[in-house]
Amino acid sequence: MSRPVVTRFAPSPTGMLHIGGVRTALFCWLFAKKHGGTFILRVEDTDLTRSTDDNIRIIEEGMAWCGLLWDEGPVVGDPAQWVGPHGPYRQMQRMDSHYKPAIQSLLDEGKAYRCRCTKEELDERRAAADKAGKIFQYDRRCREAGHDDTQPAAIRLKMPVGPEPWLEQGDIVLRDLIKGELRFPATSLDDWIIARTAAAGEKVGTPTYNFCVVVDDTDMAVSHVIRGDDHVANTPKQIALYHAMGYETPAFAHVPMILGKDGAKLSKRHGATSITEYQQMGFLPSAVRLALARLSWTPKIDGRAIDTAAEELLTDVQMIELFDLGDIQKSPARFDMDKLNWMNQKLIQRATWQEIEPHFRPFLPEAWGGKSDDWKAKAIQCTQKGKSLVEMAGFLDFVWAAPTAFDEAAAAKFLTGAVKPALADLCVLTDYSHDGLEAGFNAILEAHSLKLKDLAQALRVALCGKPVSPPIFDTLMLLGRDEVVARISKWL
């Protein structure tokens, strides 16, 4: 395909942003970046009963948190604003400007027609077909009736019923970039509804998803439609509409669904299912991106599938460079929470404090914002053994408030009469640099004939309430001299 690469992620805002959707968005993003193309976020909010502004905000914020920033699409939190030449990027804002004129053109050209069959009539015919053991198909009785627009009616697209130049041996053919060639007999498809029954006084009712998506993908010059394989059944209808409207058909790639580790449908028992929950659990966006990318995709280096732990920890730059739709498997992927936890810990350990800090900040009190960069760097570096940002934040609990309860067994074991004089000497130290603390500790240990571990454990209990903390010099530096003296003094 010679035209510029344009991909889009087009979620329906009817609930939380599911990780399956994020994985699809990630593949769209990677493909666009790989080919120097454009990535679009479009909100398909035609389900008026379930689409809400809050759900749209959740999608926008979830995508932004994941780092899947769009080149065209809505401005986060402002439905009246967008970025890009093809806006608006919410379908309900495109009704009168894009969809209804396109439907009217199809009616004028005789490629669509008004259908006055009521829901009750259709349900009755469907029940009769079921009773006879037949598959229900709309019988096209309104196709040649020539209904005018004086009465409310749904609008159906005329699907091919005879030879068409674009059909292949009577089939609608989908050459999927992942699944391969799929064929659908044209005669097996109904004249499907492209606009719901209009309200009184309206000529055209609310257009349906399958219609809007074709108009939007064409208007936005989408070259590659990458989406979940639950949309395969929609594709032959959409291909027919592309031809009816004289549009160029994009390339299609349908990615497999995500299952739990046990092979069952992904659910809460396999871990969180919405992207917001992963954010709240303290995962780095880079870890989520990497873990989701590896669901169904096996990157190859010089034709060889990656197979070592070091190779698995790909950066975004590496993923973009290696991404190929041909390397996506056809069968469902299995989500492994243990693998995500492993990746998260490894990426935390590998990241700089500046990379971690923006994502770490929400898990910390407001006092964090008043700390110096040097202090923040020290705090992050001494907690990077944590498996998550939540666990890292827990390592710093002792900083924000003096302990109100103490491990009694540890206090009895470490805060002994032999150690307390050394604690008193520590209160005299003023140089809280690493070298200054080391020199001061060595002098105190020698003066009192103590081992470092004995003094360090006593300090941890006195300062943190338990014999666990970051390295002892880091603990003192994070608290600062005044707070250290205040907490030790309670034990003297």
Side-chain angles (χ1 to χ4, degrees):
M1 184 174 290
S2 59
R3 56 175 163 160
V5 168
V6 179
T7 64
R8 51 71 165 175
F9 176 54
S12 176
T14 56
M16 304 300 288
L17 181 57
H18 192 276
I19 60 169
V22 177
R23 195 268 305 262
T24 299
L26 174 62
F27 285 171
C28 293
W29 182 82
L30 287 171
F31 189 80
K33 299 305 174 187
K34 169 71 176 283
H35 296 281
T38 300
F39 172 58
I40 297 172
L41 174 62
R42 186 176 74 227
V43 180
E44 298 185 341
D45 56 348
T46 56
D47 186 338
L48 302 180
T49 60
R50 296 193 297 159
S51 296
T52 67
D53 286 340
D54 281 344
N55 287 340
I56 293 173
R57 176 183 52 78
I58 288 169
I59 289 171
E60 294 169 347
E61 292 178 353
M63 290 281 290
W65 175 80
C66 277
L68 301 180
L69 302 179
W70 47 96
D71 302 300
E72 295 183 28
V75 171
V76 177
D78 189 346
Q81 300 294 323
W82 60 81
V83 175
H86 302 106
Y89 293 88
R90 291 173 60 166
Q91 284 187 334
M92 287 306 298
Q93 296 174 341
R94 298 169 63 84
M95 287 290 162
D96 293 333
S97 58
H98 290 76
Y99 310 137
K100 292 187 178 182
I103 288 174
Q104 188 60 54
S105 293
L106 288 172
L107 288 169
D108 293 344
E109 294 168 8
K111 296 176 180 178
Y113 61 94
R114 299 181 182 278
C115 173
R116 296 217 179 96
C117 297
T118 65
K119 179 180 182 301
E120 292 73 20
E121 291 170 340
L122 293 172
D123 287 345
E124 183 178 333
R125 292 177 220 163
R126 186 174 290 107
D130 290 343
K131 186 176 182 180
K134 298 180 180 179
I135 297 175
F136 173 74
Q137 275 193 301
Y138 178 64
D139 57 14
R140 297 184 167 96
R141 65 178 58 188
C142 294
R143 186 165 181 158
E144 306 301 333
H147 296 310
D148 59 28
D149 58 11
T150 59
Q151 295 181 7
I155 298 172
R156 293 181 183 269
L157 179 71
K158 288 184 177 179
M159 292 291 283
V161 294
E164 294 282 353
W166 57 273
L167 293 177
E168 298 184 28
Q169 297 177 332
D171 293 338
I172 298 174
V173 178
L174 165 61
R175 291 183 173 86
D176 194 278
L177 297 177
I178 295 172
K179 293 183 172 297
E181 183 178 292
L182 302 174
R183 303 180 75 94
F184 305 85
T187 55
S188 67
L189 299 173
D190 283 337
D191 288 355
W192 53 281
I193 293 175
I194 60 176
R196 301 175 183 91
T197 301
E202 291 186 342
K203 294 183 178 181
V204 177
T206 303
T208 58
Y209 161 79
N210 277 312
F211 181 83
C212 296
V213 73
V214 170
V215 173
D216 287 341
D217 284 345
T218 300
D219 178 65
M220 298 176 188
V222 172
S223 63
H224 292 75
V225 174
I226 304 170
R227 58 190 180 186
D229 62 6
D230 54 325
H231 286 284
V232 167
N234 292 326
T235 309
K237 297 179 180 180
Q238 293 171 9
I239 290 174
L241 180 59
Y242 277 106
H243 286 281
M245 301 185 78
Y247 294 162
E248 183 177 0
T249 306
F252 290 96
H254 290 90
V255 300
M257 66 185 300
I258 301 174
L259 303 177
K261 190 175 181 180
D262 58 1
K265 184 178 179 180
L266 191 65
S267 66
K268 287 284 188 182
R269 65 189 176 88
H270 300 109
T273 56
S274 80
I275 202 64
T276 303
E277 291 174 283
Y278 287 97
Q279 181 180 4
Q280 295 168 347
M281 290 163 66
F283 288 97
L284 287 177
S286 56
V288 174
R289 288 195 299 271
L290 179 57
L292 291 180
R294 293 306 316 281
L295 295 175
S296 301
W297 175 47
T298 303
K300 294 179 180 177
I301 300 175
D302 297 328
R304 174 187 58 82
I306 63 173
D307 60 0
T308 67
E311 288 176 337
E312 281 205 272
L313 297 174
L314 298 170
T315 65
D316 284 345
V317 171
Q318 290 172 316
M319 285 198 290
I320 291 169
E321 180 183 354
L322 297 174
F323 189 74
D324 189 329
L325 289 172
D327 293 331
I328 294 177
Q329 66 191 40
K330 299 177 183 180
S331 57
R334 298 199 180 196
F335 179 73
D336 187 343
M337 193 71 182
D338 293 335
K339 189 68 170 289
L340 173 57
N341 283 317
W342 175 80
M343 287 180 171
N344 197 52
Q345 186 172 28
K346 291 297 183 183
L347 292 181
I348 285 174
Q349 293 170 352
R350 189 169 80 174
T352 66
W353 78 268
Q354 294 97 330
E355 291 169 333
I356 292 176
E357 197 277 336
H359 307 294
F360 194 31
R361 192 184 310 148
F363 298 96
L364 299 162
E366 290 184 7
W368 173 268
K371 299 294 186 179
S372 68
D373 283 351
D374 286 344
W375 190 95
K376 290 177 181 178
K378 174 64 66 177
I380 291 173
Q381 288 161 3
C382 72
T383 60
Q384 278 182 270
K385 66 179 181 180
K387 296 179 181 178
S388 71
L389 300 177
V390 171
E391 188 173 49
M392 288 173 60
F395 292 155
L396 294 177
D397 284 347
F398 74 93
V399 172
W400 315 114
T404 57
F406 295 85
D407 183 327
E408 294 182 3
K413 180 178 180 180
F414 297 114
L415 285 165
T416 63
V419 172
K420 288 186 178 180
L423 294 179
D425 286 354
L426 274 169
C427 292
V428 180
L429 297 181
T430 57
D431 186 350
Y432 266 54
S433 67
H434 188 279
D435 290 344
L437 287 171
E438 185 175 25
F441 260 65
N442 287 338
I444 292 170
L445 293 173
E446 183 176 356
H448 295 278
S449 299
L450 293 172
K451 294 180 179 180
L452 176 59
K453 66 176 184 178
D454 297 325
L455 183 55
Q457 291 300 82
L459 267 175
R460 287 189 170 97
V461 175
L463 299 175
C464 308
K466 56 188 178 181
V468 179
S469 81
I472 195 60
F473 294 164
D474 292 337
T475 298
L476 296 173
M477 293 164 68
L478 290 173
L479 284 173
R481 182 180 184 278
D482 291 346
E483 185 65 19
V484 169
V485 170
R487 295 189 189 188
I488 288 178
S489 297
K490 296 178 180 180
W491 293 92
L492 300 178

